[in-house]
Amino acid sequence: MPHINALLLENFRSYDSLRLESLESGLVLLTGANGAGKTNILEALSLLAPGKGLRNTSHKEWQKQGTEKPWVISALVTDDDNPVQIGTTWVPEKAKRVFHLNGAPTRTQEDVLALLNFTWLTPKEDRLFVDAASDRRRFYDRLVFQYDAAHAGRVRRFENAMRERNKILKEQGITNTTKAWLDSLEQQMAETACAIGASRQEHLRHLQDTHEKQRDTLGFSPAPTQYALHGYIETLLIDNPALQAEEIYRKALEQNRKSDRDDEATALGPHRTDFTSMLLTKNQPAPLCSTGEQKALLFGLLLAQAEALNIYKGIKPILLLDDVAAHLDADFRGNILKSLLRFGTQTWVSATGLDVLEPLPESFKHITVGSH
Ligand SMILES: Nc1ncnc2c1ncn2[C@@H]1O[C@H](COP(=O)(O)OP(=O)(O)OP(=O)(O)O)[C@@H](O)[C@H]1O
Ligand SMILES: [Mg+2]
């Protein structure tokens, strides 16, 4: 399983330079006062894999303020005893972020993803169940993307085609000249929508199966949850074979041209889908659950995602848990930390102090942030 053994940061966020070594433990606990730089370390780790990291930000924010020297994140990663140096930095001359493996530029980002993946939980996700459906959908699509790399491209293609269709309807209307154009965009939307819906559904089945198995294997019970997708496309795909669903959606788009033009929006499609969770012990939808119960649901989801990636893709993600202890009762906290140690993947946990994480498991690596 991939494991971070050493981490080096330069000119990244609050750090001029930081070196963390001897990180052989399966559980690394980062503690320090507010503003000490804990989240910055977890963010740096998340940026060792391609993407915008756990704060979903861009390189301008990563660059340490007050210096021109580009930020560097570098780590020694071992997987089955093979050490690999993985690095990423900003190259100003190319205005581009690059990745290195053992000092040589990588050919594709997939080379890095084949070695290193991260799954995280941060205070931002605390609002997942009560936020807008669009935030939840984006969150869920990121879970699918970890599992099926083509998913993000399909979502982008669908959204581009939808935007273009909305623009034509608004600016040029439905005329003989725009008809062929609209036909072709709607065909594209129907094809990509069904592929998006199918990927989302497949991942949902895997998450649910994994979650149910984990209730027997983890050594403690994550909150029993029923996951569901609520959306036009996903429902169509349950009731119809893919090609037929595609044709039904395409026709619906054609029929809705006038109303979509009046509303300046596309009424039907995968861009309206919601992902929901239900706490089964109380038959309670997640938004009605208590703060701690929602946190427990999030943990269950994180563990199911990490294990599903392992079972179905052979990927063992490193888990990053930023400031997650708040709202958890001691029993649950103890169980979570113990089960993470058994989980077989390296986990990094941040908190303001070790006392916040008690009861502590027998073994872990403790790093006090702010004393470097
Ligand atoms: N680009 C940057 N350049 C310089 N400093 C930055 C940059 N981005 C963030 N910081 C600073 O880094 C410091 C540490 O932030 P970080 O979020 O890691 O703290 P933390 O230890 O997680 O604190 P908390 O317990 O409050 O979550 C903050 O004071 C922040 O202002
Ligand atoms: Mg923080």
Side-chain angles (χ1 to χ4, degrees), residues 317-365:
I318 290 175
L319 304 184
L320 308 176
L321 307 180
D322 190 21
D323 233 343
V324 289
H327 304 299
L328 297 180
D329 57 51
D331 256 8
F332 189 80
R333 228 168 26 224
N335 279 329
I336 274 285
L337 289 183
K338 249 192 283 166
S339 74
L340 287 172
L341 257 180
R342 270 200 297 260
F343 201 54
T345 186
Q346 192 182 33
T347 303
W348 291 61
V349 179
S350 80
T352 47
L354 278 185
D355 55 323
V356 181
L357 297 171
E358 280 170 0
L360 295 163
E362 315 82 63
S363 66
F364 55 88
K365 166 88 181 176

Side-chain angles (χ1 to χ4, degrees), residues 117-221:
N117 279 266
F118 295 91
T119 300
W120 55 75
L121 212 50
T122 76
K124 229 173 35 195
E125 276 79 61
D126 284 354
R127 297 195 46 79
L128 183 76
F129 301 119
V130 289
D131 271 345
S134 56
D135 294 313
R136 235 171 351 261
R137 184 175 54 253
R138 240 170 268 130
F139 174 88
Y140 184 76
D141 277 336
R142 272 202 300 277
L143 300 186
V144 180
F145 169 64
Q146 271 206 310
Y147 183 89
D148 173 5
H151 185 68
R154 289 189 210 112
V155 171
R156 226 178 6 253
R157 276 202 303 285
F158 174 84
E159 284 175 354
N160 288 342
M162 178 174 74
R163 217 169 296 126
E164 207 175 326
R165 174 177 177 270
N166 289 346
K167 194 163 170 246
I168 294 168
L169 287 175
K170 184 176 177 209
E171 292 175 2
Q172 304 184 40
I174 310 153
T175 66
N176 282 339
T177 0
T178 57
K179 190 184 169 308
W181 205 355
L182 289 169
D183 284 349
S184 128
L185 286 170
E186 286 163 1
Q187 180 63 39
Q188 255 184 60
M189 285 168 70
E191 279 170 23
T192 44
C194 287
I196 291 165
S199 274
R200 283 180 184 159
Q201 276 177 330
E202 185 182 54
H203 192 53
L204 191 82
R205 279 192 297 275
H206 291 166
L207 270 182
Q208 189 70 47
D209 283 357
T210 309
H211 169 72
E212 279 158 28
K213 276 190 206 115
Q214 273 181 331
R215 299 181 43 72
D216 300 325
T217 57
L218 263 181
F220 92 110
S221 278

Side-chain angles (χ1 to χ4, degrees), residues 13-14 33-40 55 61-65 323 352:
R13 293 275 190 187
S14 53
N34 295 136
K38 306 177 293 293
T39 306
N40 291 348
R55 279 194 175 109
E61 284 140 291
W62 309 335
Q63 178 63 42
K64 182 166 201 309
Q65 282 168 19
D323 233 343
T352 47

Side-chain angles (χ1 to χ4, degrees), residues 5-264:
N5 283 338
L7 177 71
L8 172 88
L9 306 182
E10 281 173 20
N11 310 308
F12 180 83
R13 293 275 190 187
S14 53
Y15 293 102
D16 284 322
S17 155
L18 173 80
R19 186 181 285 273
L20 301 179
E21 282 168 325
S22 311
L23 306 169
E24 278 68 27
S25 176
L27 183 62
V28 181
L29 305 183
L30 301 175
T31 63
N34 295 136
K38 306 177 293 293
T39 306
N40 291 348
I41 293 176
L42 297 181
E43 182 185 33
L45 288 169
S46 70
L47 290 169
L48 283 166
K52 297 170 85 181
L54 60 68
R55 279 194 175 109
N56 195 26
T57 48
S58 61
H59 105 92
K60 282 204 181 84
E61 284 140 291
W62 309 335
Q63 178 63 42
K64 182 166 201 309
Q65 282 168 19
T67 175
E68 295 289 298
K69 284 190 238 149
W71 57 266
V72 178
I73 307 168
S74 174
L76 184 67
V77 180
T78 48
D79 192 3
D80 301 330
D81 291 332
N82 295 321
V84 188
Q85 190 76 41
I86 299 185
T88 177
T89 184
W90 183 255
V91 182
E93 307 83 62
K94 294 185 181 160
K96 201 174 138 196
R97 175 184 176 193
V98 297
F99 286 88
H100 288 93
L101 289 181
N102 290 328
T106 52
R107 277 172 299 127
T108 69
Q109 298 197 344
E110 275 73 36
D111 292 351
V112 182
L113 281 171
L115 292 164
L116 202 54
N117 279 266
F118 295 91
T119 300
W120 55 75
L121 212 50
T122 76
K124 229 173 35 195
E125 276 79 61
D126 284 354
R127 297 195 46 79
L128 183 76
F129 301 119
V130 289
D131 271 345
S134 56
D135 294 313
R136 235 171 351 261
R137 184 175 54 253
R138 240 170 268 130
F139 174 88
Y140 184 76
D141 277 336
R142 272 202 300 277
L143 300 186
V144 180
F145 169 64
Q146 271 206 310
Y147 183 89
D148 173 5
H151 185 68
R154 289 189 210 112
V155 171
R156 226 178 6 253
R157 276 202 303 285
F158 174 84
E159 284 175 354
N160 288 342
M162 178 174 74
R163 217 169 296 126
E164 207 175 326
R165 174 177 177 270
N166 289 346
K167 194 163 170 246
I168 294 168
L169 287 175
K170 184 176 177 209
E171 292 175 2
Q172 304 184 40
I174 310 153
T175 66
N176 282 339
T177 0
T178 57
K179 190 184 169 308
W181 205 355
L182 289 169
D183 284 349
S184 128
L185 286 170
E186 286 163 1
Q187 180 63 39
Q188 255 184 60
M189 285 168 70
E191 279 170 23
T192 44
C194 287
I196 291 165
S199 274
R200 283 180 184 159
Q201 276 177 330
E202 185 182 54
H203 192 53
L204 191 82
R205 279 192 297 275
H206 291 166
L207 270 182
Q208 189 70 47
D209 283 357
T210 309
H211 169 72
E212 279 158 28
K213 276 190 206 115
Q214 273 181 331
R215 299 181 43 72
D216 300 325
T217 57
L218 263 181
F220 92 110
S221 278
T225 317
Q226 181 71 51
Y227 303 115
L229 287 164
H230 302 270
Y232 169 83
I233 286 293
E234 290 77 10
T235 309
L236 260 190
L237 286 165
I238 292 172
D239 299 335
N240 300 279
L243 280 179
Q244 222 164 310
E246 204 176 295
E247 186 52 19
I248 296 171
Y249 180 42
R250 196 196 57 73
K251 279 197 184 129
L253 285 170
E254 194 178 344
Q255 272 164 14
N256 286 356
R257 282 178 190 171
K258 281 202 183 72
S259 54
D260 283 354
R261 180 198 58 198
D262 296 345
D263 297 343
E264 296 188 19

Side-chain angles (χ1 to χ4, degrees), residues 253-304:
L253 285 170
E254 194 178 344
Q255 272 164 14
N256 286 356
R257 282 178 190 171
K258 281 202 183 72
S259 54
D260 283 354
R261 180 198 58 198
D262 296 345
D263 297 343
E264 296 188 19
T266 304
L268 298 177
H271 60 297
R272 292 271 164 99
T273 298
D274 195 2
F275 165 67
T276 61
S277 302
M278 160 92 89
L279 178 61
L280 287 172
T281 36
K282 293 192 174 172
N283 253 345
Q284 196 80 282
L288 297 183
C289 289
S290 76
T291 318
E293 284 169 341
Q294 291 188 14
K295 201 92 176 190
L297 288 169
L298 282 173
F299 267 108
L301 184 56
L302 173 94
L303 293 174

